């Protein structure tokens, strides 16, 4: 089972059927797991347990980006050296191939640009804006420049060019010009599809721990400047993903779908589709849901949190709206520590055939080791507002060895996050027009 666990870093290849008309488009992006033998980042020397441990460390580090404490500069918490997702696109006219980290927790897309003041070493070509006929700088007073927060933007007063700046949790950084360019997405079955006038950051001052494999970041968050938001009506403001628990094996396949047909038409008992409202909060980058309770077997535990969330008064209350972020780039699920104490105790009481032990790595709080008996695990149901999502054992527990499993949910004193282990083998649909997220159980490696 450990070989089949989905990690947070995925190398993206495109397999799309897409017309170039002005009508809403639909295409499917095939995802290749970071630790799949097909991945360029695959390391055959590491064990499945090593890969799990690395994924958990990335998950914990990534979670810090969602903390809403005041900052003097934007610190997204992204682990630059590890990379989260890689996405293959082309940029400019003529096109330059770019391989960049695709991130559902970021908005502005940026890539390394020539001429560099400081660029980290990368394996592929660095985009040269002076050789592209479609490159256009954004002025400081433009709507796109003002879409960046005050901590993210600046202005070159001499050239009247909008500037951006990001710093990351591992002290990596990028700075450069805000511009528009033609971004094209390649198709295995036809010609690339171009999206002219796409806003991005042309980074000429970048450093820290970025991996040589990537050229920058593709923003897939909910803010105005993300690639998802900029594609907007051309994809009917809809996208979904289906993450297979087999993604780290030779045969595992996961996908992201963009466009009209990417999500189920509506919640129904027949199709096992349930849906819950997206809650509008700042920053708009993140996708907020309302978690009301979690059931362990027949024991339903109300979710309460005293954590601070934007637009709230900080007072503890049951099911505070928008009290959890759903994120495909975080491996583990993080739950408010006060609630987690009660939840963890209920899980421990319900596990049979095993005794609780410590995680040898010290990262997971509830691990269980058996002797010769088979471990009996409880069914866990996550109760979002209007949507009861029943998890399989693969969604809630991770097999660390032949005789030990651990709960893949941990406590946090910061923002709660619904991670990708809990989302495996669900079609998770985002309808940004109706502001709802849907869940449909399916075998992602077989059904899509």
């Amino acid at each position: 089972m450990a070989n089949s666990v989905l990690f947070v870093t995925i190398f993206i290849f495109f397999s799309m059927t897409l017309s170039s008309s002005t009508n809403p488009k639909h295409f499917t992006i095939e995802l290749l797991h970071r630790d799949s033998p097909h991945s360029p980042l695959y390391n055959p020397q590491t064990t499945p347990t090593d890969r799990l441990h690395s994924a958990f460390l990335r998950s914990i580090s990534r979670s810090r980006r969602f903390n809403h404490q005041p900052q003097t500069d934007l610190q997204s918490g992204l682990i630059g050296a590890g990379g989260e997702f890689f996405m293959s696109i082309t940029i400019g006219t003529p096109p330059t191939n770019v391989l960049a980290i695709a991130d559902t927790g970021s908005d502005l897309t940026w890539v390394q640009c020539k001429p560099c003041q400081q660029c980290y070493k990368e394996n592929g070509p660095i985009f040269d804006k002076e050789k592209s006929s479609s490159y256009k700088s954004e002025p400081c007073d433009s709507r796109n420049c003002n879409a960046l927060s005050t901590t993210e933007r600046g202005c070159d007063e001499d050239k009247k060019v909008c500037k951006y700046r990001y710093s990351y949790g591992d002290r990596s950084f990028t700075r450069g010009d805000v511009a528009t360019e033609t971004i094209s997405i390649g198709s295995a079955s036809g010609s690339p599809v171009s999206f002219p006038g796409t806003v991005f950051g042309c980074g000429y001052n970048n450093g820290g721990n970025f991996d040589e494999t990537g050229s920058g970041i593709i923003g897939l968050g909910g803010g105005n400047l993300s690639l998802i938001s900029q594609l907007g009506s051309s994809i009917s403001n809809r996208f979904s993903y289906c993450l297979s628990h087999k993604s780290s094996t030779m045969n595992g396949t996961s996908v992201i779908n963009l466009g009209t047909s990417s999500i189920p038409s509506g919640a129904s008992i027949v199709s096992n589709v349930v849906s819950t409202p997206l809650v509008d909060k700042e920053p708009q980058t993140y996708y907020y849901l309302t978690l009301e309770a979690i059931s362990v077997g027949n024991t339903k535990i109300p979710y309460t949190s005293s954590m601070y969330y934007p637009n709230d008064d900080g007072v503890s209350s049951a099911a505070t709206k928008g009290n959890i972020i759903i994120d495909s780039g975080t491996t583990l699920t993080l739950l408010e520590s006060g609630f987690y104490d009660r939840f963890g105790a209920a899980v421990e009481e319900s596990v049979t055939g095993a005794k609780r032990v410590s995680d040898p790595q010290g990262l997971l709080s509830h691990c269980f080791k058996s002797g010769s008996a088979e471990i009996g695990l409880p069914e866990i149901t996550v109760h979002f507002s209007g949507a009861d999502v029943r998890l399989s054992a693969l969604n809630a527990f991770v097999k660390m060895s032949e005789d030990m499993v651990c709960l893949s949910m941990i406590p946090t004193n910061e923002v709660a996050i619904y991670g990708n282990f809990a989302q495996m083998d669900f079609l998770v649909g985002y309808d940004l027009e109706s502001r709802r997220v849907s869940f449909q159980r399916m075998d992602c490696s077989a059904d899509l």
Side-chain angles (χ1 to χ4, degrees), residues 5 37 166 184 232 379:
V5 180
Y166 289 142
S184 300
E379 181 179 76

Side-chain angles (χ1 to χ4, degrees), residues 65-66 68 74 103-108 143 146-149 152 166 219-230 239 278-289 309-311 324-327 430 432 435 437:
R65 72 184 307 171
F66 301 107
H68 302 298
L74 180 72
D103 186 13
T104 55
S106 292
D107 287 329
L108 182 68
R143 178 176 58 87
N146 287 319
L148 294 167
S149 73
E152 299 169 354
Y166 289 142
L220 301 175
N224 292 333
L225 294 183
S226 78
L227 186 60
I228 292 292
S229 297
Q230 291 191 66
F239 75 99
L278 274 169
V279 179
D280 294 329
K281 287 196 170 188
E282 295 293 335
Q284 296 177 350
T285 305
Y286 310 134
Y287 298 107
Y288 299 90
L289 305 180
Y309 294 90
N311 303 333
I324 192 166
I325 293 169
I326 181 171
D327 180 41
Y430 294 70
L432 303 181
R435 306 299 297 166
V437 172

Side-chain angles (χ1 to χ4, degrees), residues 220-355:
L220 301 175
N224 292 333
L225 294 183
S226 78
L227 186 60
I228 292 292
S229 297
Q230 291 191 66
L231 295 184
S233 59
S234 69
I235 59 169
S236 301
N237 293 298
R238 295 178 178 180
F239 75 99
S240 65
Y241 48 78
C242 202
L243 307 176
S244 171
H245 75 274
K246 300 177 182 177
S247 290
S248 62
T249 69
M250 294 289 288
N251 300 320
T253 300
S254 298
V255 297
I256 293 177
N257 308 289
L258 304 177
T260 310
S261 305
S262 62
I263 64 175
S265 57
S268 71
I269 296 175
V270 175
S271 61
N272 295 316
V273 179
V274 295
S275 70
T276 187
L278 274 169
V279 179
D280 294 329
K281 287 196 170 188
E282 295 293 335
Q284 296 177 350
T285 305
Y286 310 134
Y287 298 107
Y288 299 90
L289 305 180
T290 300
L291 176 61
E292 295 182 342
I294 298 180
S295 290
V296 180
N298 295 323
T299 303
K300 190 173 185 178
I301 308 165
Y303 188 79
T304 56
S305 172
S306 59
M307 300 306 300
Y308 171 80
Y309 294 90
N311 303 333
D312 292 332
D313 58 12
V315 177
S316 177
S317 62
T320 302
K321 288 186 177 180
N323 57 12
I324 192 166
I325 293 169
I326 181 171
D327 180 41
S328 64
T330 302
T331 309
L332 303 171
T333 289
L334 287 78
L335 301 170
E336 195 272 331
S337 57
F339 166 84
Y340 190 90
D341 290 342
R342 292 175 284 127
F343 169 67
V347 170
E348 182 176 359
E349 186 177 339
S350 302
V351 170
T352 60
K355 63 177 181 179

Side-chain angles (χ1 to χ4, degrees), residues 355-375:
K355 63 177 181 179
R356 185 176 172 185
V357 295
S358 298
D359 174 13
Q361 304 292 344
L363 296 177
L364 304 178
S365 33
H366 282 68
C367 295
F368 305 93
K369 191 169 185 177
S370 68
S372 57
E374 182 178 348
I375 301 177

Side-chain angles (χ1 to χ4, degrees), residues 26-43:
H26 173 79
F27 52 98
T28 295
I29 305 164
E30 188 173 323
L31 305 176
L32 180 63
H33 193 290
R34 168 198 175 115
D35 291 302
S36 164
H38 297 298
S39 169
L41 296 181
Y42 178 71
N43 183 356

Side-chain angles (χ1 to χ4, degrees), residues 68-124:
H68 302 298
Q69 297 302 317
Q71 298 165 340
T72 57
D73 195 1
L74 180 72
Q75 294 184 348
S76 74
L78 179 71
I79 300 305
E84 297 300 323
F85 299 76
F86 288 108
M87 182 172 182
S88 177
I89 63 172
T90 65
I91 187 168
T93 309
T96 298
N97 292 321
V98 167
L99 186 66
I101 300 167
D103 186 13
T104 55
S106 292
D107 287 329
L108 182 68
T109 293
W110 67 267
V111 301
Q112 292 207 109
C113 284
K114 292 181 179 178
C116 291
Q117 290 182 4
Q118 175 185 344
C119 288
Y120 59 87
K121 181 182 178 181
E122 69 169 90
N123 295 334

